Amino acid sequence: MVGLVARKARTPDQALPHTSPDGVDYTERVEDACFRVGESGNSASSDLESLSTRLGFWASALIRVGGRDLTLTLALNALLQFTNGALLTVMVLFFSEPLTSGGLELSPHDIGVNFGLFGAVAFMFQLFLFPPLLKA
């Protein structure tokens, strides 16, 4: 639907380019995907409809608009955030469990100090060690 509105607002010579970093032009493929969604009996339409039913509307729209690389980047970022949240939750449980249960039996104050040190080390890594890694 968004593609249809953009198509009416622009003439063909004003269309936005959809070029990948390796130089492949996807303009026609993106326009075909956007404008054939509502047509019935078309192979492109049926492919998009089957994709929408398998992945859900938002996932298939993301693939159509952003491509495989953007979808993969967002999926991996979501996985990273999930595992980071799980790690921090498990760390709190591990720090607060009694020694007899295999934990460290730290007080809430000590847990807070540990998380503060964890944040300070992460900050120092990002400030001093990460920039040289980007240049390499």
Side-chain angles (χ1 to χ4, degrees), residues 33-103:
C34 290
F35 301 118
R36 292 186 185 183
V37 171
E39 298 175 11
S40 60
N42 194 337
S43 63
S45 174
S46 62
D47 289 345
L48 287 175
E49 288 172 6
S50 67
L51 183 67
S52 292
T53 56
R54 282 185 291 141
L55 299 176
F57 172 76
W58 293 110
S60 63
L62 183 62
I63 290 172
R64 280 196 313 261
V65 172
R68 181 178 170 270
D69 292 340
L70 177 64
T71 305
L72 186 61
T73 301
L74 291 176
L76 290 175
N77 188 18
L79 180 65
L80 173 69
Q81 297 305 319
F82 174 76
T83 56
N84 185 38
L87 172 70
L88 295 176
T89 303
V90 169
M91 283 175 61
V92 170
L93 295 174
F94 174 69
F95 288 163
S96 63
E97 279 292 311
L99 290 172
T100 57
S101 298

Side-chain angles (χ1 to χ4, degrees), residues 6-17:
R7 176 75 166 183
K8 287 181 177 179
R10 292 186 178 98
T11 61
D13 60 330
Q14 295 174 329
L16 296 174

